[in-house]
Amino acid sequence: MAEKLAPEKRHVFVHNDQKVFEWDQTLEEVNIYISLPPNVHPKQFYCKIQSKHIEVGIKGNPPYLNHDLTSPVKTDSSFWTLEDDTMHVFLQKRDKGQTWSSPVVGQGQLDPYTSDLEQKRLMLQRFQEENPGFDFSQAQFSGNCPDPRTFMGGIRSGQ
């Protein structure tokens, strides 16, 4: 049932008519997907993940991404991989349940409507996680959705 509340599609950040990256999020993580240029050896790519900053590029060239993150991440459980022609950056949120409007500060912010939909989806993911066996995939909120990180005393520890 939890898979019904997974991100339906990735958000796309476009700059100057070029796709810079795609991304999605869950209660615990933010995933960034970057299409890799052809004819570059995989060992030439790099990604540096810091608590509040990310840098991605090709060794010996200016960074492709060099930005502060929207919120802090756990560096010891964040990592990156190369999958076919895509770099997948897995960022473990420091504050589980926090809704990110973009992975990086000032770039590709979600519009208010889409941000609200993300917050609702994460809130339903939290309900699903805390109440296994119940199906919240069709649940709806009337009015404003509460913050999934702080609602009813916050996310239960040990989860």
Side-chain angles (χ1 to χ4, degrees):
M1 282 180 253
E3 59 275 356
K4 292 181 185 177
L5 296 172
E8 291 180 20
K9 64 178 185 171
R10 296 176 184 169
H11 306 292
V12 181
F13 172 52
V14 175
H15 181 71
N16 291 336
D17 296 326
Q18 288 278 108
K19 179 176 74 174
V20 179
F21 59 79
E22 296 180 338
W23 69 282
D24 60 30
Q25 67 182 313
T26 66
L27 279 173
E28 299 185 42
E29 68 208 36
V30 172
N31 297 286
I32 301 173
Y33 307 91
I34 300 170
S35 297
L36 300 175
N39 304 319
V40 178
H41 193 277
K43 291 191 183 291
Q44 290 297 105
F45 296 104
Y46 73 91
C47 179
K48 295 178 188 173
I49 302 169
Q50 297 172 321
S51 168
K52 296 181 181 181
H53 193 86
I54 187 167
E55 184 179 320
V56 175
I58 299 172
K59 294 174 187 172
N61 293 285
Y64 177 72
L65 281 180
N66 189 13
H67 294 285
D68 288 336
L69 296 168
T70 298
S71 296
V73 299
K74 296 178 180 177
T75 56
D76 59 341
S77 48
S78 297
F79 59 93
W80 62 282
T81 62
L82 299 179
E83 302 165 0
D84 299 321
D85 60 350
T86 302
M87 178 183 282
H88 178 188
V89 182
F90 175 92
L91 302 171
Q92 183 78 37
K93 293 178 180 178
R94 188 189 71 190
D95 300 316
K96 181 179 176 179
Q98 184 167 22
T99 306
W100 288 26
S101 60
S102 172
V104 295
V105 174
Q107 304 292 325
Q109 304 294 320
L110 296 178
D111 62 75
Y113 176 75
T114 304
S115 187
D116 185 55
L117 290 177
E118 275 293 283
Q119 185 163 322
K120 288 177 180 177
R121 188 180 56 74
L122 293 181
M123 189 71 209
L124 293 174
Q125 269 189 356
R126 177 183 159 187
F127 287 162
Q128 187 69 57
E129 184 177 284
E130 291 178 357
N131 301 282
F134 289 92
D135 183 0
F136 292 96
S137 62
Q138 301 300 315
Q140 296 182 359
F141 292 95
S142 61
N144 290 338
C145 176
D147 183 338
R149 188 173 50 92
T150 59
F151 178 69
M152 302 265 313
I155 293 177
R156 296 178 190 161
S157 61
Q159 302 226 355

